[in-house]
Amino acid sequence: MRPLRAGVIGLGVGEQHVLGYRAAGVEVVALCDTNPEKRATASRTHPGCRIAESADELLAADDIDVVSIASYDHHHAAQVVRAITGGKHVFSEKPLCMNEAELGAIRDALDRNPGVRLSTNTILRMSERFRDVHDRVRAGELGQLYCVEADYNYGRLHKVLTGWRGDILDYSVMLGGGIHMIDLLIWMVDSPVIEVSAVGNKVCSAGAAFQTPDMVMAWLRFDDGTIGKVAANFGCVYPHFHKIALYGTEGTFENGIGGGVLIRSRDPQETPQSITSAYPGTAKGDLIPGFIEAILGKGKAAVEEADVFRTMSACIAIDKSLRTGKPEVVATY
Ligand SMILES: NC(=O)c1ccc[n+]([C@@H]2O[C@H](COP(=O)([O-])OP(=O)(O)OC[C@H]3O[C@@H](n4cnc5c(N)ncnc54)[C@H](O)[C@@H]3O)[C@@H](O)[C@H]2O)c1
């Protein structure tokens, strides 16, 4: 079998995907961006790569085995389905798609092409600090988790006020950012979210082109009885940060702006244990080598297809609850 070859669509964070493939020993043969300036830069910085103007050109190529989709959120679904239908493995940026109909279409495409592998870039699973905490949770150091909380404090209001996010009429802060926290919580709890209820507002971006709430908060019910809360806070006066609290019967973990701590006592005199492992401590292409190993049958991807669907389905149910004003059941795929 010849070595795998990759193509990358979208050269913002997609440039980090290129590094991920190279780290995995995969040759990147084609790049694509609709922006001519990006293409001109890419032809200088990636000599030897074909530089395509349209995603269709790259997706039709028969010398590409795995494709990264790092275009704008509302372009993902069509590109993902086209890639799967063409028998290409897909590493998609989050969110995989924007709504239930698109997620169903991707499920159908995978069912028709069972040899295709799919993963997505919910990169916090590669964070050294969260891996450390995940290991501790699995080893029982926190006892039984019963309540989990996570805030995606975006801290980049300018990206909402100007730029492509404001051009997407149904842009979702939960799909666009909160998704990282939902994926992290599902991974920590090791049980899917089955029911959600959400509220939101639009104070920080009032008057901007951006149409949808910039602040969304939801409660979550997990299948194993754990409950949780997640927030996608795009307008906060806060540096970009992933705030989490995991409450277990034997201990609590918090990732706060002051650092990570493990609390094992109700005694106010006891000093919490600092968790000093690197946070976030990741590059955006770090999930790719593991995904390539999984394609080659040599291991398990850190984010498997089932993980992608569980996380996406929970986010979509949250967006639905925002619209209906009622709790919503999370669909299974
Ligand atoms: N996993 C993460 O942590 C993470 C971080 C940043 C961005 N993202 C995701 O990556 C995607 C891109 O975001 P970004 O920050 O790189 O944006 P960006 O604006 O920096 O870059 C996106 C690039 O894609 C190109 N593009 C857009 N649609 C295209 C299409 N249909 N075909 C070809 N090229 C296209 C644009 O011209 C642009 O150069 C988004 O979906 C975003 O949510 C994920």
Side-chain angles (χ1 to χ4, degrees), residues 222-245:
F222 292 79
D223 197 30
D224 72 350
T226 305
I227 58 171
K229 184 216 80 179
V230 69
N233 187 344
F234 270 46
C236 57
V237 180
Y238 211 96
H240 188 73
F241 195 76
H242 310 98
K243 195 170 158 187
I244 73 168

